[in-house]
Amino acid sequence: MSEADVAADWVTLGVLAKRAGVLPKEAFEAQFTAPFLLELNPEEGASPDDTREYSRSDVEELSPSLSESLILYLGEGDEIVIGRQGQARCNHASVSEKHCVLRRFGTLWSISDLGSRNGTTINGHKLAPEEQLPLKFGSKLMLGEAQFLWLGAEDCFDLLQELTREPRIRPRSLGKYRAEFKSLGSADEVRKHYPGPFLVIQAPQGRTPSPGGAGEPVSTNTIALSKEQLKANVNKNVADAVFNLANHALVRVGRASVSQIHLPLGPISALHAALVREDDTWFIQDLGAKNGTYVWGERLEGRKALESGTEVTLGNIKSNFFMLEDFITYATHRDSLVSGD
């Protein structure tokens, strides 16, 4: 996502999370060097000719929402007017056509009210006419009853991580799925209980693979593998770990405890890769993994859409992404499929 793409339009926090929230923190901060303006309570349908008065005592304190809060990256321009007819549009009926202005001075920004009907406040202080105050990261802004947060890249990254944190997905064996599919009987019942999709990881049994080949306990550092070791087939002496991705939209894979798919294996980086769902399509994205992420043997740059059956290799750990029908086939015939490799 380029600076120009974001500077022109507000997007929801959820859209920003899918586009950039899966980047490593250092890469996120390197890409987004200007502040963000986060609108907590967007409102549509305000008439451009009638500014509504409001009662400050009736304003409810709000928290950020992935699906509703809007965010604007201020990557371009040195002066931005906010209002119903401003460069940064805010459609609240309590916001004036040109409500306030943000000005850049090097790396610093300030805010001034433009004679708005309902005023501009920063951390509870109402700006006087022609008063200009500097903005600090974390400041709470109010334009009428429209609520905003002023965020730096680090604040925005931490917020995205907190809001997109999902519970860890516990692995299950193929045997358990086979038994449950059989007990459910009809295909419709299987689809109802297990819509999928699934990530099947062929994880080495017992110890973690090491450069020496004998295996060693997991260390706190990622083991760097050679090209030959990265290409090593891991189909032998493996146990399939099945992760059900249903009801998830952002799934991080890695050794870090915050990962939704936790793989405490030496070749896996702390945050290795991410699976991201957008509408009905799933994507795989590398997160700067030391040993790389591969799709059908080709090292991944950026992200790639996943089709059912796609082979994804994390370092040298092989996995497959399956939609339900193909997963049933794999679960049923896995032994013969692997022995035929």
Side-chain angles (χ1 to χ4, degrees), residues 168-232:
R168 182 173 295 176
I169 305 173
R170 302 295 178 182
R172 303 185 72 202
S173 68
L174 281 178
K176 288 185 177 179
Y177 277 107
R178 288 193 193 111
E180 292 188 13
F181 290 165
K182 184 176 181 179
S183 67
L184 289 170
S186 71
D188 287 341
E189 285 298 311
V190 172
R191 294 188 190 97
K192 184 189 302 181
H193 287 81
Y194 297 101
F198 303 85
L199 186 68
V200 180
I201 295 178
Q202 296 183 9
Q205 297 189 68
R207 291 179 166 278
T208 302
S210 69
E216 61 185 26
V218 176
S219 71
T220 56
N221 297 315
T222 303
I223 298 170
L225 302 181
S226 68
K227 290 184 179 180
E228 292 73 18
Q229 291 161 344
L230 286 172
K231 294 178 181 178

Side-chain angles (χ1 to χ4, degrees), residues 64-81:
S65 163
L66 279 174
S67 60
E68 296 180 3
S69 298
L70 297 177
I71 192 164
L72 179 69
Y73 175 58
L74 303 176
E76 293 186 346
D78 294 323
E79 185 172 298
I80 298 175
V81 174

Side-chain angles (χ1 to χ4, degrees), residues 164-320:
T164 57
R165 183 170 296 169
E166 297 187 4
R168 182 173 295 176
I169 305 173
R170 302 295 178 182
R172 303 185 72 202
S173 68
L174 281 178
K176 288 185 177 179
Y177 277 107
R178 288 193 193 111
E180 292 188 13
F181 290 165
K182 184 176 181 179
S183 67
L184 289 170
S186 71
D188 287 341
E189 285 298 311
V190 172
R191 294 188 190 97
K192 184 189 302 181
H193 287 81
Y194 297 101
F198 303 85
L199 186 68
V200 180
I201 295 178
Q202 296 183 9
Q205 297 189 68
R207 291 179 166 278
T208 302
S210 69
E216 61 185 26
V218 176
S219 71
T220 56
N221 297 315
T222 303
I223 298 170
L225 302 181
S226 68
K227 290 184 179 180
E228 292 73 18
Q229 291 161 344
L230 286 172
K231 294 178 181 178
N233 192 313
V234 295
N235 283 334
K236 297 180 180 179
N237 300 316
V238 300
D240 279 332
V242 182
F243 297 86
N244 188 352
L245 307 181
N247 302 319
H248 293 270
L250 175 59
V251 177
R252 299 176 184 87
V253 183
R255 287 190 298 123
S257 60
V258 297
S259 301
Q260 283 70 53
I261 294 182
H262 185 225
L263 299 180
L265 303 169
I268 303 296
S269 294
L271 287 176
H272 197 105
L275 297 159
V276 182
R277 175 171 57 83
E278 292 186 5
D279 298 324
D280 294 327
T281 302
W282 280 85
F283 296 86
I284 179 76
Q285 179 171 336
D286 184 81
L287 297 181
K290 195 171 189 177
N291 290 307
T293 301
Y294 299 81
V295 176
W296 292 119
E298 294 188 6
R299 186 153 188 164
L300 181 63
E301 300 291 341
R303 68 175 190 169
K304 190 176 183 65
L306 292 170
E307 297 179 350
S308 185
T310 298
E311 179 184 291
V312 176
T313 304
L314 308 163
N316 71 337
I317 306 300
K318 182 178 175 181
S319 68
N320 288 90

Side-chain angles (χ1 to χ4, degrees), residues 133-151:
L133 284 183
L135 287 166
K136 297 180 180 180
F137 296 145
S139 293
K140 172 74 174 290
L141 310 178
M142 289 193 66
L143 283 58
E145 63 184 18
Q147 301 179 44
F148 298 85
L149 292 177
W150 182 255
L151 302 174

